[in-house]
Amino acid sequence: SRPGPPGAAPRLEAVAAWEEASRRFACWQGRPLDGRFPQQLPSERAAHFVPCDELRALERRKPQQMTEYHRQYLTIAFPVAPRKAPANFNPGAAWACGVQAAAL
């Protein structure tokens, strides 16, 4: 038999490992948070990512909607500025509006 293209074997191993992990663990697709807070079907579940500046704007405009949304859906907030920037990201504010995880 002819050998496959260079690097084919490691790629096949990586795909097989990913398929095995997806059978054993919950794997959700990552998506940006939609500020309209649409309902999702169970097959569409994803982990939503939101930068802290967008989170603050949503928190001011739709605080109750955010809290209700995060009772059902997973969201991860993250800082937009580099670590050495003068502004600090406050994970407590993210958690207060229902966000489950805050990256530092």
Side-chain angles (χ1 to χ4, degrees):
S1 73
R2 281 180 37 200
R11 276 187 286 225
L12 290 175
E13 289 175 20
V15 169
W18 175 256
E19 288 172 345
E20 173 62 24
S22 68
R23 283 190 292 276
R24 296 176 63 198
F25 305 103
C27 299
W28 291 1
Q29 179 181 7
R31 296 184 187 155
L33 179 68
D34 183 343
R36 296 172 296 164
F37 304 111
Q39 295 295 314
Q40 299 170 0
L41 298 173
S43 62
E44 298 175 330
R45 293 283 166 101
H48 298 95
F49 295 91
V50 60
C52 64
D53 58 341
E54 186 177 322
L55 177 68
R56 279 193 296 268
L58 286 170
E59 182 182 16
R60 280 187 226 116
R61 288 192 333 258
K62 303 177 180 182
Q64 186 61 35
Q65 263 187 294
M66 283 194 71
T67 303
E68 293 296 324
Y69 183 81
H70 291 116
R71 287 183 179 167
Q72 295 182 38
Y73 305 112
L74 178 65
T75 299
I76 302 162
F78 60 91
V80 291
R83 288 191 178 267
K84 296 180 182 179
N88 290 328
F89 171 54
N90 180 5
W95 295 326
C97 64
V99 171
Q100 295 86 353
L104 299 175

